[in-house]
Amino acid sequence: MTTVLTYVERDGDTLAKPSRETLTFARSLAEAHGWGLDAALVGDPTEGSLADLRAQGVATVHALVHDHLDDDAAPAAVAEALVQLHTQLGPGVLVGPGTDHGAEVMAHVGARTDLPLAANCTTAAPADGGGWDLTRVRWGGVLLEDAHLEADVALLTAAPHQTAAQSAGAPGAAELSTFKPELDDALHVTRVKERATRGGGISLATAPVVISGGRGVGSAEGFGILEELAELLGGAVGCSRVATNNGWRSHNDQVGQTGTRVAPDLYVACGISGATQHWVGCMSSKKILAINTDAEAPMVTRADYAVLGDLHELLPALVEEVKARRGVG
Amino acid sequence: MALNILVAVKRVPAPGAKIVLTEDAQRIDTKHLGFTVSPHEECAVEEAVQLTGQHGGESTVLTLGPEVAEEQLRTAISMGINHGVLVATDDEEWDAIATAAALTDAITTLEAERGAFDLILFGNESADAGNYQVGVRVAHALDRPVVSGIKDIEVTGDGVTMKRAVDDGFEVMQLPLPAVAAVKEGINLPRYPAMRGRLIAKKAQIRHITPEQRQGGLSRVRLRHPQQDQTETQILGTGAEAAPAVARIFEEVGLL
């Protein structure tokens, strides 16, 4: 039987959200054709991640086990392990999450097998007459491309934020199977040697609310009031490319095609016009509020809510309003 | 140690807020658009200039694209890159396998003439195609170590330390040279070319290499816009008086 093998990542005890989205994407492909759904991950899966894998309808979970396969593993080594496992399972589909790590691992899979890899897919199906018909996102998601992949084996990554993670109708067995690949020492050259964690604060990628500032904020100091509001709401501060290019904020805070793509419950865009580069970074947010003096700004016309005024007037009043409702100060 | 660095860049349209497609849905209508180097790659160019500035040596910029992509090579030269090489194609987009194979051939040709590149820099992904793989494929074909998502590079003795940005900080890798990296915006702030640089770039000789096109396997059928929910923007006010209405939105989404 054809198997859709899905590479997944853990986030602490559970499966990372993009990996659950990828499994839902992979399952819809498997179910449409009566194929099996397997998952592979580095090291031993935790109880929490096994529960997620069962919920996603996974039949077999392949734990990739090797001295050098751990959190610091080289993407090339993970890729070689996946290639060996995939070869053993027989031809089919190998899909990974379109995260930074997933994209890097799958690029190595493509290079090592010399097979085409379609990045950031939203749909895939076998084509009449061979190969695969698929849709993938371009320009960070502002455009879709219908494409044809000419290969027996489909190597894919699933576009983040495009498929909502949903549990399977019937849970899978998620039977655990250990796979021990043979890995050449040269593969481990790019292992992570050490880590520097930023520590503290809420991560931009997972914050429930992001307060983001652009040209209209005017200065590094101008972000003070955005910081205050974000802290009150338990969110993170983001910014546009203009703000990083002006040196007002660190690039780590940049939301956009070349920064972080966020999907919070609420995205508040303060003084951001909404060029494509920025829009693709925030368009997956559940709700968007634009604060801008320009009623014609693309961010305003595409937002769910807008305040057509000066952010420097609104934000201090808003901070006071939130404090009052909270009964603070 | 003097460094010999290569940077690969891609010419891409510079869209504003809206992207318009041609009638045949095969490409972006660029009648009213300028072109630029993909943002990650502009940072790769700056990094090469800074590294050769610190350590001495030479830098080369390489692109696969139509004749007009010379414009992007000259931009890189105006920022301080020494040499420009165009792997000249028709105006069609080549997929990742075809691009990587042609770049690998060109790099092999250049290295046979002037010696190996200590460092080859790519952008993490191009702005338009977003394939996330060309640098890895080239590195694999050249049998060199490669890391992606790089936001810091430090050359030390015969090796290089690279930092990859992750959600909560950085991962640090140490690679022997020669090595390959796919870098991300944020690794530096690219300079604005000075007048002197622009004059040098104007006169620079661009080397042309004619590639063979390998069939990669991924081909475009059509481009289209995703279906967008036409949301009517609800205006909450024009200034400080809108604060209570905004706070009610915070409540609705469960933040208060």
Side-chain angles (χ1 to χ4, degrees):
Chain A
M1 182 174 70
T2 303
T3 303
V4 182
L5 178 62
T6 311
Y7 173 60
V8 296
E9 298 171 76
R10 275 188 290 111
D11 179 8
D13 179 47
T14 58
L15 274 197
K17 185 169 172 245
S19 288
R20 284 185 280 120
E21 292 173 353
T22 303
L23 280 168
T24 303
F25 166 87
R27 193 178 70 237
S28 67
L29 175 58
E31 281 176 350
H33 305 282
W35 297 339
L37 177 65
D38 281 11
L41 81 178
V42 165
D44 285 320
T46 56
E47 270 310 311
S49 53
L50 273 176
D52 285 337
L53 289 160
R54 273 192 291 273
Q56 286 293 337
V58 170
T60 305
V61 179
H62 304 272
L64 306 173
V65 175
H66 185 280
D67 283 351
H68 286 301
L69 290 182
D70 52 24
D71 288 348
D72 296 333
V78 178
E80 177 57 27
L82 286 171
V83 170
Q84 289 177 18
L85 171 63
H86 189 246
T87 305
Q88 182 183 298
L89 292 176
V93 180
L94 177 51
V95 54
T99 55
D100 286 340
H101 173 74
E104 187 168 357
V105 166
M106 290 303 294
H108 280 277
V109 170
R112 305 190 79 78
T113 54
D114 202 23
L115 288 169
L117 161 70
N120 287 318
C121 297
T122 58
T123 64
D128 299 336
W132 305 80
D133 289 329
L134 52 90
T135 302
R136 57 184 294 266
V137 306
R138 291 174 64 111
W139 286 98
V142 78
L143 280 185
L144 295 176
E145 176 183 26
D146 295 325
H148 180 76
L149 185 71
E150 190 55 51
D152 294 338
V153 170
L155 300 183
L156 315 170
T157 63
H161 304 313
Q162 296 280 335
T163 306
Q166 284 172 336
S167 296
E175 194 181 323
L176 196 55
S177 169
T178 299
F179 183 77
K180 294 183 174 169
E182 287 188 19
L183 302 177
D184 191 283
D185 283 347
L187 287 167
H188 311 304
V189 166
T190 56
R191 273 178 68 78
V192 175
K193 287 279 188 304
E194 54 183 296
R195 288 172 187 278
T197 45
R198 261 198 295 281
I202 292 162
S203 128
L204 186 60
T206 56
V209 56
V210 175
I211 313 292
S212 224
R215 191 187 300 278
V217 176
S219 66
E221 297 72 35
F223 274 86
I225 191 75
L226 279 76
E227 294 272 7
E228 199 176 345
L229 182 61
E231 196 176 332
L232 275 171
L233 296 171
V237 171
C239 70
S240 72
R241 193 154 178 251
V242 172
T244 29
N245 281 352
N246 282 328
W248 301 341
R249 299 295 292 185
S250 151
H251 189 273
N252 298 328
D253 295 344
Q254 185 176 312
V255 172
Q257 192 179 354
T258 51
T260 303
R261 295 188 208 152
V262 300
D265 296 333
L266 181 67
Y267 187 76
V268 184
C270 308
I272 297 175
S273 67
T276 299
Q277 145 78 230
H278 188 77
W279 175 250
V280 299
C282 68
M283 65 183 183
S284 302
S285 307
K286 285 202 188 107
K287 296 283 178 189
I288 295 176
L289 163 67
I291 302 167
N292 209 303
T293 50
D294 177 8
E296 303 300 317
M299 188 53 94
V300 171
T301 58
R302 288 164 160 176
D304 300 282
Y305 313 104
V307 176
L308 301 178
D310 187 344
L311 67 100
H312 302 284
E313 287 172 19
L314 174 67
L315 291 183
L318 192 51
V319 164
E320 290 315 311
E321 180 73 24
V322 170
K323 281 183 180 170
R325 286 177 188 237
R326 280 266 170 85
V328 184
Chain B
M1 143 190 170
L3 294 170
N4 188 13
I5 304 182
L6 179 83
V7 187
V9 302
K10 184 177 182 188
R11 172 186 168 91
V12 295
K18 281 226 169 75
I19 290 182
V20 179
L21 298 177
T22 56
E23 267 185 25
D24 64 3
Q26 289 301 307
R27 55 178 66 212
I28 290 176
D29 187 344
T30 52
K31 272 203 294 284
H32 306 291
L33 293 182
F35 286 82
T36 184
V37 171
S38 267
H40 295 313
E41 293 151 19
E42 193 185 349
C43 293
V45 167
E46 174 67 31
E47 195 65 16
V49 172
Q50 288 187 15
L51 284 169
T52 50
Q54 279 166 31
H55 298 272
E58 289 202 323
S59 55
T60 302
V61 62
L62 173 70
T63 195
L64 177 132
E67 292 283 332
V68 284
E70 272 201 10
E71 180 192 349
Q72 279 62 47
L73 296 177
R74 290 189 196 279
T75 299
I77 293 168
S78 73
M79 290 169 69
I81 296 284
N82 303 112
H83 310 288
V85 180
L86 176 75
V87 180
T89 64
D90 47 17
D91 201 18
E92 294 306 311
E93 184 177 87
W94 288 23
D95 77 0
I97 283 186
T99 302
L103 291 182
T104 302
D105 288 348
I107 291 166
T108 306
T109 302
L110 294 172
E111 290 193 330
E113 293 169 3
R114 318 180 184 152
F117 295 108
D118 301 297
L119 208 49
I120 301 177
L121 303 180
F122 288 84
N124 199 62
E125 84 279 357
S126 65
D128 58 346
N131 285 314
Y132 291 80
Q133 56 187 282
V134 170
V136 172
R137 286 186 188 273
V138 170
H140 189 260
L142 296 170
D143 196 20
R144 288 174 206 182
V146 55
V147 281
S148 301
I150 296 307
K151 279 200 172 178
D152 190 72
I153 297 178
E154 203 181 324
V155 175
T156 51
D158 58 351
V160 57
T161 303
M162 311 235 205
K163 291 183 184 170
R164 178 194 286 124
V166 290
D167 265 359
D168 63 344
F170 286 101
E171 296 176 339
V172 185
M173 286 78 62
Q174 274 175 328
L175 278 61
L177 294 174
V180 181
V183 309
K184 274 196 166 183
E185 190 179 76
I187 189 172
N188 54 44
L189 263 184
R191 72 193 64 195
Y192 192 77
M195 182 54 77
R196 197 180 110 79
R198 276 185 273 173
L199 289 175
I200 292 170
K202 211 172 163 184
K203 292 187 202 142
Q205 287 282 324
I206 302 290
R207 165 88 180 269
H208 283 224
I209 291 179
T210 307
E212 279 180 46
Q213 186 170 10
R214 203 192 130 183
Q215 289 310 310
L218 185 63
S219 53
R220 170 156 66 243
V221 177
R222 76 181 71 79
L223 295 175
R224 57 190 166 91
H225 288 279
Q227 279 204 326
Q228 289 213 327
D229 311 332
Q230 283 296 333
T231 45
E232 188 78 11
T233 308
Q234 188 186 337
I235 307 298
L236 303 174
T238 56
E241 91 292 344
V246 174
R248 277 195 293 279
I249 301 296
F250 291 165
E251 282 175 356
E252 278 173 31
V253 297
L255 294 168
L256 278 178

